[in-house]
Amino acid sequence: MTNSASMAVADLAITRHSHTTTNYLSSSPSLSYHRRLTFRHLPRTTTTTAIRCSVTSDKIQAPVGIDPNQKAECYGVFCLTYDLKAEEETKSWKKMINVAVSGAAGMISNHLLFKLASGEVFGPDQPIALKLLGSERSFGALEGVAMELEDSLFPLLREVSIGIDPYEVFQDIEWALLIGAKPRGPGMERADLLDINGQIFAEQGKALNAVASRNVKVMVVGNPCNTNALICMKNAPNIPAKNFHALTRLDENRAKCQLALKAGVFYDKVSNVTIWGNHSTTQVPDFLNAKIHGIPVPEVIRDRKWLEEDFTQIVQTRGGVLIKKWGRSSAASTAVSIVDAIRSLVTPTPEGDWFSTGVYTNGNPYGIAEDIVFSMPCRSKGDGDYELVKDVIFDDYLRKKIKKSEDELLAEKKCVAHLTGEGIAVCDLPEDTMLPGEM
Ligand code: LMR
């Protein structure tokens, strides 16, 4: 480990010990009193990585009255930069929240983390600690992400930790944004994917159950996200089932965009869009209850065939079409939709509107099978919780489509019975439906 005394104040140092935490030091006095970046240790590693900053040590001045030698547990410039003025500034801030992000070195996270740190998601008075979960293979990239976060000088970002053990990373977290999952490889059956990713989410569920805040909110993004969310929830019996979400907000956003395009209006005029069901090609973008300028969509877009066929299929397969263009899965729009999904839970839903999220079906008023995670329309008071919307209408078309997605999720559930504590898995999927990205 680099000795603190010999380390230039302009260095940012990541040091990994054989035990708990390492401080991450900032070179900027104006920045570092705001933040403390902490790195979780990989037990097996003993190396030190120093990251040089462009500011040289002789340009740095310690705030007056702070004696670096007084704080034995820290080293370098971080010890010099505690500043009482900053404490004054931050008195109006809320209590810091702890947010974990898995797959933190991936493309989606690369967009999301900077939005989280900027205050765009939880608000400009909400300090945040980011706990980044990656894999052993991605650890170098995780360090790179942490460096970029530091270099971004976000005042609200008080702490960053990185690690590969969910039991460490999820300690006391209030939000878990579970993005990391394996993509379906060539020749891999959907059942294989359910099993491989299911195991990841079973383990993460157990870790959440053991160490996270008792009211942690969990947003599952890694596919197949509905069933992964169910697995995660079943492995975390001490956390309310209501707190688990599967991300279908991207599908809602896609549906809004298509309706706006067809109607020739800006997309902020489209409201009350529900995505029902699974984040797969059986998902049902509901045009029956959707509104444009407050008017039911079927009265604005008088082309039922387009709504039932083109619109529905465009939304269901949008992810796949995008992959063909990009050569990779949606990342920026997924990150934006995660932001939307969280904001919908932490801010009151506008009067008369709702949002879609995949949630546990027990007690739902729509007659959808219990004990699955299904995307449905919700409203929130802005307290992180939600209630299902009751005033929605159904017709035969909508019912039939919803049933198909429900059947798919019930079949997926049987495939992962070994991961939900419900016995032996019997995997007999009715047809090999796709994730949106697999088309
Ligand atoms: C999407 O909808 O864009 C993604 O879920 C696609 C995928 O399979 O990664």
Side-chain angles (χ1 to χ4, degrees):
M1 171 182 166
T2 308
N3 184 294
S4 61
S6 64
M7 195 181 70
V9 284
D11 286 352
L12 304 178
I14 303 169
T15 311
R16 294 178 233 147
H17 307 263
S18 57
H19 54 96
T20 54
T21 58
T22 299
N23 294 330
Y24 191 85
L25 307 183
S26 168
S27 59
S28 160
S30 63
L31 161 67
S32 55
Y33 54 60
H34 281 288
R35 304 180 315 150
R36 172 182 171 144
L37 303 187
T38 306
F39 285 76
R40 296 272 173 212
H41 298 283
L42 292 176
R44 61 181 171 73
T45 318
T46 52
T47 55
T48 298
T49 315
I51 304 157
R52 294 230 163 240
C53 205
S54 55
V55 185
T56 55
S57 57
D58 57 357
K59 303 264 179 354
I60 307 281
Q61 289 179 359
V64 178
I66 307 292
D67 177 0
N69 299 321
Q70 281 174 356
K71 293 171 83 182
E73 77 278 13
C74 65
Y75 58 81
V77 74
F78 191 61
C79 302
L80 301 176
T81 53
Y82 183 72
D83 186 305
L84 288 175
K85 226 169 56 232
E87 292 297 293
E88 287 293 314
E89 264 174 38
T90 58
K91 262 191 188 140
S92 60
W93 284 3
K94 296 177 183 160
K95 186 174 162 286
M96 185 171 75
I97 48 163
N98 296 296
V99 179
V101 178
S102 79
M107 291 290 289
I108 297 171
S109 299
N110 204 252
H111 292 276
L112 178 65
L113 291 168
F114 295 82
K115 292 174 179 294
L116 290 166
S118 73
E120 188 182 323
V121 184
F122 291 102
D125 56 352
Q126 178 60 75
I128 187 167
L130 288 175
K131 321 262 178 181
L132 312 185
L133 180 66
S135 62
E136 203 160 344
R137 197 173 47 83
S138 71
F139 197 81
L142 274 188
E143 290 178 330
V145 171
M147 288 165 64
E148 284 212 86
L149 283 167
E150 169 126 282
D151 294 345
S152 300
L153 312 185
F154 291 117
L156 291 167
L157 182 58
R158 306 303 299 245
E159 212 177 298
V160 173
S161 59
I162 61 178
I164 61 170
D165 179 355
Y167 284 85
E168 278 202 352
V169 176
F170 292 168
Q171 194 79 44
D172 299 325
I173 56 167
E174 283 120 342
W175 285 84
L177 311 178
L178 304 184
I179 298 169
K182 284 217 163 31
R184 179 158 147 175
M188 197 192 275
E189 298 293 322
R190 190 171 171 83
D192 299 332
L193 189 75
L194 280 164
D195 183 50
I196 291 170
N197 281 333
Q199 291 186 37
I200 296 172
F201 286 88
E203 197 203 344
Q204 292 183 357
K206 288 191 181 94
L208 287 168
N209 200 51
V211 301
S213 149
R214 296 303 75 189
N215 198 26
V216 61
K217 304 288 188 292
V218 185
M219 184 69 62
V220 176
V221 180
N223 281 319
C225 62
N226 294 55
T227 298
N228 288 342
L230 183 77
I231 293 167
C232 194
M233 186 201 92
K234 294 280 182 178
N235 282 278
N238 296 337
I239 296 165
K242 234 193 146 184
N243 290 14
F244 290 79
H245 298 258
L247 185 82
T248 55
R249 186 52 170 270
L250 177 57
D251 305 303
E252 178 187 320
N253 290 354
R254 288 168 171 167
K256 280 182 168 159
C257 179
Q258 293 308 313
L259 290 172
L261 256 172
K262 181 74 174 172
V265 299
F266 198 58
Y267 35 69
D268 65 344
K269 304 298 177 293
V270 186
S271 65
N272 302 81
V273 173
T274 307
I275 298 295
W276 296 94
N278 200 1
H279 177 66
S280 77
T281 52
T282 67
Q283 68 176 270
V284 190
D286 175 354
F287 54 81
L288 190 65
N289 289 284
K291 292 180 179 161
I292 294 174
H293 280 297
I295 302 165
V297 161
E299 290 173 31
V300 179
I301 300 171
R302 295 176 170 274
D303 183 348
R304 180 82 189 195
K305 187 168 178 306
W306 181 86
L307 289 167
E308 286 188 7
E309 294 172 13
D310 304 42
F311 164 68
T312 301
Q313 207 214 355
I314 288 169
V315 177
Q316 288 171 334
T317 60
R318 181 81 164 171
V321 174
L322 193 131
I323 286 175
K324 287 206 180 92
K325 302 273 182 202
W326 251 121
R328 60 148 177 81
S329 209
S330 58
S333 58
T334 303
V336 168
S337 74
I338 296 169
V339 172
D340 291 342
I342 298 170
R343 284 177 56 79
S344 288
L345 292 167
V346 299
T347 50
T349 310
E351 186 67 33
D353 203 0
W354 61 67
F355 57 90
S356 307
T357 178
V359 287
Y360 196 44
T361 49
N362 278 19
N364 79 85
Y366 318 113
I368 292 163
E370 306 251 303
D371 205 28
I372 51 178
V373 171
F374 204 85
S375 184
M376 299 182 281
C378 297
R379 281 194 190 107
S380 177
K381 294 188 177 71
D383 54 0
D385 208 350
Y386 63 87
E387 55 203 36
L388 293 172
V389 174
K390 295 207 176 62
D391 46 337
V392 287
I393 55 169
F394 296 92
D395 61 9
D396 288 348
Y397 167 86
L398 189 55
R399 282 267 176 230
K400 207 168 116 220
K401 289 279 180 188
I402 288 176
K403 176 84 174 52
K404 191 171 175 203
S405 209
E406 179 186 313
D407 288 346
E408 180 178 67
L409 280 166
L410 288 169
E412 285 189 16
K413 186 171 106 165
K414 284 194 187 145
C415 293
V416 298
H418 59 306
L419 298 171
T420 55
E422 279 152 29
I424 298 165
V426 182
C427 203
D428 184 18
L429 293 165
E431 62 185 73
D432 198 17
T433 54
M434 301 281 176
L435 297 168
E438 290 171 340
M439 295 302 296

